[in-house]
Amino acid sequence: MIRPHNATVTAVIVLGDDETVRRCEQLTARAAPHSPTIAAMFAFPPGAPASQDDLTEVDALVAAIARAISLRLPIWMPDPLTDLRREQHYRRLSLVLQRHGLDLLVGHDLWPMPDTGGMNEIDHALRREVQTVDDLDRAALAAAGVASLERVVEQAANAVPATTHENDWPPTLPQTGLQWAQRHQSVASYVQWLVDGCGVTRAAAARVLNSSGQRTPDGRAWQSRNVSALLDGHYDREAAA
């Protein structure tokens, strides 16, 4: 069965051995129907990953992952098994990117790997274990963020001028089941209060929103960049629609 390609890809980080990267223009032409823009390229000597048990010893690969995470872009390896030569390296690279919500795209058609489940039963079990651990980690971070926020709110409350009406402060979050147009103003006011009034970082504000069950206008988990977009008014159009 032919899988649909990842049609949403607009930019990628290319990773491979020296020969793969030298053929980058040719590979891009072959992948032209998928319209990838190459944001950066990283090459390692042929056989370098195969000669190492620990991928942290392959500088180009570590640099590629770092760039992918910083730019929030997937890594494209046209010939991953040929270049990496070890299945465990293939799996580890994919798992690291998965942890950051990024894809490892493979082949000339930029297939996201793994497509579903895993490359085999063991890979599937490993991925499920990693996802479970990540879920626990995120829940703990969210709880820590809420606990920290409670301390900040208490301190801010003690500093509120006596003239402030109790019904005007602090803002409250709306019910999570409402449409974004109905939630927008309340969420924006609450986040503005967190960031400007309580000195909470945007990343911490995102964790608070997520732990409260709030979601972005497109139904996704909040991240610091979404909080910035909210504060900058970029979500006003969705609210007005």
Side-chain angles (χ1 to χ4, degrees):
M1 178 179 178
I2 298 177
R3 296 169 292 168
H5 71 275
N6 189 355
T8 62
V9 173
T10 57
V12 297
I13 305 292
V14 173
L15 176 63
D17 65 18
D18 292 332
E19 178 60 25
T20 295
V21 173
R22 272 197 297 269
R23 295 185 292 116
C24 194
E25 288 187 5
Q26 175 186 351
L27 294 169
T28 304
R30 294 179 64 177
H34 309 295
S35 303
T37 298
I38 296 175
M41 296 182 291
F42 295 87
F44 46 77
S51 66
Q52 300 291 342
D53 292 328
D54 187 350
L55 284 178
T56 60
E57 299 296 328
V58 184
D59 293 341
L61 190 143
V62 174
I65 295 174
R67 183 68 62 85
I69 292 172
S70 65
L71 297 180
R72 304 302 303 164
L73 294 177
I75 286 180
W76 175 32
M77 292 197 74
D79 298 301
L81 288 178
T82 299
D83 291 351
L84 295 175
R85 301 188 186 181
R86 292 195 190 187
E87 182 184 356
Q88 62 266 39
H89 288 345
Y90 188 17
R91 178 169 55 249
R92 289 164 183 167
L93 173 58
S94 178
L95 282 168
V96 168
L97 292 173
Q98 174 184 306
R99 171 166 286 198
H100 293 276
L102 301 172
D103 285 328
L104 173 63
L105 308 176
V106 301
H108 299 141
D109 293 320
L110 286 80
W111 297 129
M113 180 57 70
D115 55 344
T116 55
M119 292 178 281
N120 50 49
E121 290 185 5
I122 294 177
D123 184 38
H124 174 69
L126 285 171
R127 289 177 188 278
R128 288 301 306 151
E129 182 68 14
V130 169
Q131 290 167 359
T132 301
V133 171
D134 284 348
D135 287 344
L136 178 59
D137 182 39
R138 282 191 289 268
L141 288 174
V146 171
S148 299
L149 174 63
E150 289 175 347
R151 290 193 294 270
V152 171
V153 169
E154 183 178 357
Q155 293 170 0
N158 294 330
V160 173
T163 55
T164 301
H165 194 282
E166 62 177 1
N167 292 331
D168 297 333
W169 190 96
T172 57
L173 286 171
Q175 296 180 1
T176 58
L178 299 176
Q179 295 295 320
W180 175 246
Q182 299 171 292
R183 292 188 293 122
H184 170 256
Q185 190 57 52
S186 296
V187 172
S189 297
Y190 188 82
V191 170
Q192 189 82 45
W193 168 68
L194 286 179
V195 175
D196 294 341
C198 300
V200 173
T201 66
R202 299 187 179 197
R207 289 198 298 270
V208 171
L209 291 176
N210 290 331
S211 66
S212 302
Q214 297 290 332
R215 289 297 179 262
T216 63
D218 57 0
R220 300 187 179 186
W222 288 89
Q223 299 181 34
S224 58
R225 58 186 174 84
N226 302 117
V227 172
S228 295
L230 177 67
L231 294 176
D232 292 340
H234 293 169
Y235 288 145
D236 292 353
R237 182 178 302 174
E238 286 90 340

